[in-house]
Amino acid sequence: NAEKPLRGRKMLVTAGPTHEPIDPVRYIANRSSGKQGYAIAAALADLGAEVVLVSGPTRLDSPRGVTRQNVESANDMLAACEAALPVDAAIFAAAVADWRVASEADQKIKKKEGRLPSLSLAENPDILATVSALTQGRPALVVGFAAETEAIIENGKAKLARKGCDWIVANDVGTGTGTFGGDENHVFLLTREGVEDWPKQSKDAVARDLAARITTFFQGVDV
Ligand code: C5P
């Protein structure tokens, strides 16, 4: 089907930040808007893929034709991703918190005169690395993102190797680029074959180009 070349393919996309609870009313978060991941989910659905969007808390509406699964923490996101498997491709665009609070307080932490609370942190699971390392049921294509403020290509290549994914979309999030929360993105696509410098364009255009590349990838792969 020329118009819906991804029909019959199931794809997982993660997007947005995670919220790591401190107590029932407080959390640790980051500035991810979720825009790039939502745009990718929309572009894949437009091409006919069945898309599960595992989303951290965002202000965005669900794209048309996408099944959205809302999560808060990194641990919840990993569980939702595992529940969505098997998929043909997995695109990990979420800005997952590296750390969570080691033990979430079950009541609101009270302010005490002359005493500051201290938070101890624990490492979160790396969802991209976990899915990339699956020996059974690994998606045929696993795509990660790398938000870098310097040495974008070098750091992106190191990430490709370390995480064990197939492609890395490396983007420049340095101060002044406006990538975080903005509508534009300048990315490099890193594959095992080499590096492509894509023009600075809207996040929607990046998503459409990436969805087109994913389509090309699957043209050579049996269902
Ligand atoms: O290591 P870093 O966070 O820069 O890697 C970014 C990539 O890894 C993104 O694709 C992000 O979605 C993914 N990631 C993940 N789970 C984590 C941390 C990052 O899936 N705990």
Side-chain angles (χ1 to χ4, degrees), residues 14 92-94 96-98 124-128 144-146 159 162-163:
T14 69
F92 293 98
V96 183
D98 290 316
N124 269 333
D126 189 315
I127 303 166
L128 169 62
F145 275 70
K159 200 155 287 180
R162 193 169 67 242
K163 304 264 189 173

Side-chain angles (χ1 to χ4, degrees), residues 114-221:
R115 254 192 74 190
L116 293 172
S118 69
L119 295 178
S120 57
L121 302 179
E123 198 165 336
N124 269 333
D126 189 315
I127 303 166
L128 169 62
T130 303
V131 171
S132 295
L134 289 175
T135 48
Q136 269 189 14
R138 183 190 188 279
L141 181 65
V142 181
V143 183
F145 275 70
E148 306 288 350
T149 58
E150 59 181 352
I152 300 167
I153 294 170
E154 203 179 308
N155 287 327
K157 279 185 178 165
K159 200 155 287 180
L160 185 65
R162 193 169 67 242
K163 304 264 189 173
C165 56
D166 302 302
W167 299 353
I168 284 274
V169 179
N171 57 356
D172 188 356
V173 297
T175 26
T177 61
T179 303
F180 266 119
D183 292 318
E184 291 212 304
N185 206 354
H186 174 207
V187 310
F188 297 82
L189 181 68
L190 313 186
T191 69
R192 301 202 188 271
E193 280 70 56
V195 179
E196 292 170 27
D197 183 354
W198 288 10
K200 181 165 184 175
Q201 52 187 353
S202 71
K203 289 181 177 177
D204 287 336
V206 169
R208 281 192 297 270
D209 287 356
L210 187 65
R213 287 300 294 264
I214 291 171
T215 301
T216 308
F217 173 88
F218 279 105
Q219 273 157 1
V221 178

Side-chain angles (χ1 to χ4, degrees), residues 11 27 49 62-63 76 99 106 110 154 171 192 196 199 202 207 209:
M11 308 206 165
Y27 57 83
S62 302
D76 295 346
W99 309 285
D106 49 15
K110 296 302 236 182
E154 203 179 308
N171 57 356
R192 301 202 188 271
E196 292 170 27
S202 71
D209 287 356

Side-chain angles (χ1 to χ4, degrees), residues 48-135:
E50 176 193 345
V51 179
V52 176
L53 172 61
V54 175
S55 175
T58 71
R59 307 169 58 92
L60 304 173
D61 293 328
S62 302
R64 248 188 312 129
V66 163
T67 304
R68 174 168 164 187
Q69 187 90 43
N70 290 325
V71 297
E72 301 240 333
S73 68
N75 272 324
D76 295 346
M77 186 173 277
L78 174 62
C81 289
E82 286 173 338
L85 298 177
V87 295
D88 295 290
I91 296 93
F92 293 98
V96 183
D98 290 316
W99 309 285
R100 67 177 175 277
V101 176
S103 48
E104 178 189 350
D106 49 15
Q107 303 294 333
K108 182 182 172 190
I109 300 170
K110 296 302 236 182
K111 197 166 158 182
K112 286 200 193 88
E113 194 76 38
R115 254 192 74 190
L116 293 172
S118 69
L119 295 178
S120 57
L121 302 179
E123 198 165 336
N124 269 333
D126 189 315
I127 303 166
L128 169 62
T130 303
V131 171
S132 295
L134 289 175
T135 48

